Amino acid sequence: MGNTVLEIENLRTSFSIGEKYYPAVDDVSLKVHENEVLAIVGESGCGKSALALSIIGLHEQRTTRLEGQVNFKGQNLLKLSRKRLNKIRGKEMGMIFQDPMTALNPLAAIGAQIEEPMKYHLKLSAADMKKRTLELLRRVGIKNENRIYSQYPHELSGGMRQRVVIAIALACDPVLLLADEPTTALDVTIQAQIMDLMKELQAQMKTGIILITHDLGVVAEMADKVAVMYAGQIVELAEVNELFNHPMHPYTRSLLNSIPSNMPNKDKLHVIQGIVPTLQKLERTGCRFAPRIPWIPASEHEENPIIHEVKPNHFVRCTCYKNFHFEEGELGEDDHVLT
Amino acid sequence: MSLLKVNDLKVHFPIRGGFFKRVVDYVRATDGISFEIEPGETYGLVGESGCGKTTTGRAVIGLNHVTSGEILFEGKDIAKLRGKEKRLHTRDIQMIFQDPYSSLNSRKRVLDIVAEPLRNFERLSPDEELSRVQALVERVGLNPEAVYRYPHQFSGGQRQRIGIARALTLNPKLIIADEPVSALDVSVQAQVLNFMQDIQKEFNLSYLFISHDLGVVQHLCDRIGIMYRGRLVEEGLAEDIYENPQHIYTKRLISAIPEMDPAKRLEKTHLRQAIDEEYYAGYEQSFDENGRLFDLKKISDSHSVSTP
Ligand SMILES: Nc1ncnc2c1ncn2[C@@H]1O[C@H](COP(=O)(O)OP(=O)(O)OP(=O)(O)O)[C@@H](O)[C@H]1O
Ligand SMILES: Nc1ncnc2c1ncn2[C@@H]1O[C@H](COP(=O)(O)OP(=O)(O)OP(=O)(O)O)[C@@H](O)[C@H]1O
Ligand SMILES: [Mg+2]
Ligand SMILES: [Mg+2]
């Protein structure tokens, strides 16, 4: 395995709501190495984007509190000045945002927006920048790149905007890429093309990638390691085949069980019952998943769940996985063996 | 009578260029599309990124200028209406937008966002309004207190569900759902799709369901139109499309549905390669001499295909 590119230690990101701060990311520690793809999966609202935005320092400072460490190239990013951070952002670190419209400037032409980081970080002539930009557009699967170059964000389709955001993130060959749902709006053919593009970047720059996605097919295809998040915490971490073949945490097992094609011909799709509590309502002692599996007695949970290394490099939070079973009448588990 | 009947709809956007920003050409985003939706029916509009799905949906609800063609809603051509009359006739059509964040007003609380369509058309006491909004918000899997917060305080998937709740407040007859669940993980996706099916039964709702993923619409659609470069290349009942696809582009989309069963994966890979070869070899034959896809021709009562 290569050198560590990014090391997150005990990161806590809290948002102020009303008078108080509530953590959305709670004591997360993770490492990303060169050439490695770390996938982060978890239910909508569990804190994945909050985690990514904390790394790159893009939360609104006024309403956000960050604690812990984010070490990148020997410096703690949480302690850097805006100016130093701007130097890193867009060059050594690229980010693909979940919401393309907020990441794009509605008043600037697409070409200019892709060239912006190049102008700042690379020393290229105007002609070379344009050449590189058109090339990038083609590589993210945009066919009429000359037209798109001079168009504005609102004139593009949803999937085209997402690909422009990808082009911006890749413009300066980053060594760390944060990709937040990079392919949700894209059909499988283009999705495959984008994944190849990320792999090429990796081969060239040894880029470490944090890939946030709810698409387990993409995880299976791309990831080396997978971190599963629930309510702001990592609940399971393992190498990808290990995780799919031997999921342990009840949340991970429920998640794998809700893949549609694992339940042929069912009228109703599998749902993990209950909803994620809001940040204010979230009970912060005890196992956070316990309320979603009420048929598992309290005695099976740890009082203060910690992460256990249950096998080499396979980590699980809480002991409730040991005697977990699906609720009676529910479909059992199929095997999720990946070949 | 069908609830919605779209007749030869065209939406062309000008491309401007040169010194004087003159119109040099057009993007033919929607280029002669016809389809019908019955009450209680779900019609899937499926195709690759940029093929014109959103443009078509936005034209139906009146957000895009229509270049030509008819949009008959309950028999009345709404493509030609303007202003107040249009609003009155389109109150029964709502849209769930593909881009949830920019379609929500960032300065308003969720309560006001979801209740806004209600306020335009109905008189409710604040208490009635609150409980109606909270009930909706809960049905899409969010906490009832969420109504007092602002859009930026939500995650991507949560915002998408706010957009869904908003589209439902007025009990519309037709909902144009533009990729309504693509930002959601499988479990929440299932929760929202189940909910959409429940209310469909309850209120005899119709959906125009836009998606790039034939896998997602499989469980949901009665009929499906496959769109490619602004045109329909095939249309039929769900079983026509999945079990008897005719156009090579449809076959390609179906072969692209990910296979989760490891035992079948290799077989699927071979099928995909064979279809890709056929697709590239026959590509030119899909178009007429002007480079336009052929019109649809009926091959059975329910099933049509674009052929010469
Ligand atoms: N600026 C903010 N102020 C207050 N709460 C916030 C803010 N941003 C996010 N949250 C809350 O923090 C939690 C985590 O949000 P986050 O966006 O990280 O979720 P996510 O895992 O990315 O979900 P999704 O898959 O839906 O995008 C959610 O409960 C969300 O409502
Ligand atoms: N306002 C506009 N001005 C100019 N061109 C536009 C405008 N809106 C859409 N287009 C163009 O029309 C084509 C179709 O766009 P549309 O948004 O309908 O695609 P889509 O099928 O919804 O794709 P996606 O799956 O990526 O959302 C694209 O080439 C787009 O650039
Ligand atoms: Mg997110
Ligand atoms: Mg679209």
Side-chain angles (χ1 to χ4, degrees), chain A residues 44-50 98 180-181 212, chain B residues 154-157 159 183:
Chain A
S44 178
C46 70
K48 306 179 294 294
S49 300
Q98 180 174 17
D180 193 354
E181 303 282 2
I212 297 173
Chain B
F154 290 89
S155 78
R159 283 175 209 158

Side-chain angles (χ1 to χ4, degrees), chain B:
Chain B
M1 189 177 63
S2 23
L3 181 70
L4 179 75
K5 187 169 196 297
V6 172
N7 255 338
D8 202 22
L9 176 68
K10 292 185 184 165
V11 181
H12 294 175
F13 298 106
I15 307 175
R16 288 169 196 281
F19 264 147
F20 302 106
K21 297 277 170 221
R22 276 184 312 140
V23 177
V24 288
D25 199 359
Y26 289 91
V27 183
R28 294 171 173 77
T30 302
D31 199 22
I33 286 215
S34 308
F35 61 91
E36 283 179 53
I37 306 181
E38 302 293 326
E41 191 181 41
T42 301
Y43 187 93
L45 195 57
V46 182
E48 66 182 9
S49 175
C51 72
K53 306 177 297 289
T54 299
T55 304
T56 305
R58 286 173 60 95
V60 169
I61 197 170
L63 289 173
N64 270 340
H65 157 83
V66 171
T67 307
S68 70
E70 288 178 323
I71 301 169
L72 302 171
F73 184 69
E74 298 184 309
K76 184 152 180 95
D77 188 359
I78 53 175
K80 300 200 175 52
L81 298 181
R82 293 279 171 273
K84 205 170 164 191
E85 209 185 354
K86 172 168 224 149
R87 239 171 296 136
L88 206 65
H89 280 94
T90 51
R91 116 164 224 188
D92 289 328
I93 311 178
Q94 292 291 325
M95 183 150 180
I96 300 169
F97 293 91
Q98 179 174 15
D99 193 332
Y101 193 60
S102 52
S103 65
L104 303 175
N105 185 334
S106 59
R107 259 169 271 143
K108 287 186 173 167
R109 294 177 306 173
V110 171
L111 175 64
D112 303 307
I113 291 173
V114 177
E116 188 193 295
L118 267 179
R119 291 177 189 161
N120 290 340
F121 290 104
E122 279 174 42
R123 294 257 166 273
L124 292 180
S125 74
D127 279 352
E128 281 170 335
E129 183 184 277
L130 179 67
S131 64
R132 198 140 137 201
V133 169
Q134 285 192 320
L136 269 169
V137 161
E138 205 168 3
R139 291 285 293 270
V140 294
L142 295 177
N143 232 285
E145 302 104 84
V147 301
Y148 298 114
R149 293 165 58 192
Y150 295 86
H152 76 270
Q153 298 179 305
F154 290 89
S155 78
Q158 291 167 343
R159 283 175 209 158
Q160 200 164 27
R161 283 174 276 164
I162 296 168
I164 295 175
R166 181 177 197 275
L168 294 170
T169 30
L170 278 182
N171 295 330
K173 292 178 184 159
L174 172 66
I175 291 184
I176 300 166
D178 194 356
E179 308 275 6
V181 294
S182 60
L184 304 175
D185 55 281
V186 268
S187 173
V188 180
Q189 197 170 53
Q191 190 181 352
V192 170
L193 291 177
N194 288 343
F195 167 60
M196 286 175 68
Q197 279 177 309
D198 289 344
I199 56 166
Q200 176 165 45
K201 284 193 207 111
E202 211 171 310
F203 301 107
N204 201 32
L205 258 177
S206 304
Y207 290 117
L208 175 59
F209 197 98
I210 295 175
S211 177
H212 61 268
D213 182 351
L214 265 177
V216 171
V217 300
Q218 191 160 12
H219 298 272
L220 220 73
C221 295
D222 303 302
R223 287 190 310 125
I224 295 171
I226 306 289
M227 201 169 169
Y228 186 60
R229 300 194 14 191
R231 313 260 297 154
L232 286 178
V233 294
E234 186 160 357
E235 181 185 63
L237 296 171
E239 55 260 38
D240 294 330
I241 300 290
Y242 287 99
E243 278 147 39
N244 186 23
Q246 294 295 314
H247 199 278
I248 182 63
Y249 181 67
T250 314
K251 290 184 195 168
R252 192 156 182 248
L253 276 182
I254 290 177
S255 77
I257 301 173
E259 180 57 67
M260 286 290 177
D261 182 352
K264 290 195 192 135
R265 211 172 274 169
L266 192 63
E267 188 189 326
K268 186 95 182 206
T269 309
H270 289 312
L271 176 73
R272 224 172 265 172
Q273 282 162 354
I275 287 182
D276 269 2
E277 274 169 36
E278 192 187 339
Y279 174 79
Y280 289 114
Y283 189 76
E284 299 296 329
Q285 281 128 53
S286 301
F287 303 92
D288 67 14
E289 66 275 14
N290 301 319
R292 197 159 186 258
L293 285 154
F294 295 106
D295 287 337
L296 291 180
K297 300 210 173 57
K298 258 193 177 352
I299 58 165
S300 80
D301 272 353
S302 58
H303 194 177
S304 334
V305 187
S306 147
T307 47

Side-chain angles (χ1 to χ4, degrees), chain A residues 24-299:
Chain A
V25 176
D26 212 348
D27 198 20
V28 166
S29 300
L30 285 171
K31 259 189 198 174
V32 187
H33 298 92
E34 284 177 345
N35 271 323
E36 187 176 55
V37 179
L38 168 69
I40 299 183
V41 301
E43 197 162 33
S44 178
C46 70
K48 306 179 294 294
S49 300
L51 171 62
L53 293 172
S54 307
I55 297 170
I56 201 160
L58 281 180
H59 281 300
E60 201 190 323
Q61 279 172 317
R62 213 169 34 83
T63 55
T64 314
R65 191 157 71 201
L66 294 168
E67 296 156 90
Q69 291 193 21
V70 177
N71 296 314
F72 177 73
K73 293 202 151 175
Q75 40 196 353
N76 179 5
L77 297 182
L78 302 188
K79 294 273 178 294
L80 285 191
S81 66
R82 287 272 127 178
K83 210 169 145 212
R84 298 273 300 282
L85 209 52
N86 277 336
K87 279 228 160 82
I88 299 176
R89 215 156 40 200
K91 165 109 182 66
E92 285 155 302
M93 215 190 258
M95 166 116 196
I96 302 170
F97 295 87
Q98 180 174 17
D99 195 7
M101 243 354 207
T102 46
L104 294 173
N105 176 353
L107 302 176
I110 299 299
Q113 301 200 43
I114 301 175
E115 286 171 5
E116 177 76 30
M118 295 185 203
K119 215 184 276 170
Y120 192 70
H121 297 296
L122 308 178
K123 295 201 164 42
L124 291 178
S125 68
D128 284 343
M129 278 200 303
K130 178 157 187 187
K131 204 171 130 217
R132 190 179 164 86
T133 300
L134 291 174
E135 156 94 24
L136 270 168
L137 284 171
R138 258 192 312 276
R139 288 175 72 190
V140 294
I142 286 179
K143 286 176 203 120
N144 24 26
E145 69 274 6
N146 283 304
R147 178 188 114 206
I148 302 302
Y149 184 88
S150 44
Q151 280 191 305
Y152 291 83
H154 77 271
E155 298 177 320
L156 269 53
S157 82
M160 286 153 85
R161 280 180 214 139
Q162 194 168 36
R163 285 176 278 164
V164 168
V165 173
I166 295 173
I168 294 173
L170 301 184
C172 300
D173 297 327
V175 293
L176 177 69
L177 179 66
L178 309 173
D180 193 354
E181 303 282 2
T183 58
T184 36
L186 303 175
D187 38 291
V188 247
T189 338
I190 298 176
Q191 183 176 307
Q193 194 173 339
I194 300 290
M195 289 198 268
D196 289 344
L197 189 60
M198 293 206 260
K199 285 180 196 154
E200 272 170 48
L201 171 74
Q202 211 167 32
Q204 186 191 334
M205 301 299 299
K206 296 193 190 162
T207 305
I209 300 179
I210 292 187
L211 177 68
I212 297 173
T213 177
H214 64 261
D215 186 334
L216 296 170
V218 172
V219 173
E221 183 115 337
M222 285 283 294
D224 299 304
K225 275 190 315 196
V226 187
V228 182
M229 271 182 94
Y230 184 80
Q233 296 178 318
I234 306 284
V235 294
E236 189 158 2
L237 175 68
E239 182 264 323
V240 63
N241 286 320
E242 167 70 11
L243 190 99
F244 276 84
N245 295 342
H246 307 288
M248 291 191 185
H249 194 276
Y251 174 67
T252 315
R253 288 165 63 182
S254 309
L255 183 71
L256 290 172
N257 208 30
S258 50
I259 301 174
S261 46
N262 280 344
M263 318 162 296
N265 309 326
K266 265 183 71 182
D267 279 350
K268 284 268 169 164
L269 300 160
H270 174 89
V271 169
I272 304 170
Q273 294 303 329
I275 53 181
V276 198
T278 59
L279 295 182
Q280 294 119 295
K281 280 282 167 74
L282 177 65
E283 195 61 62
R284 287 170 202 279
T285 52
C287 176
R288 296 185 182 185
F289 196 59
R292 304 289 290 274
I293 45 172
W295 62 92
I296 302 296
S299 57

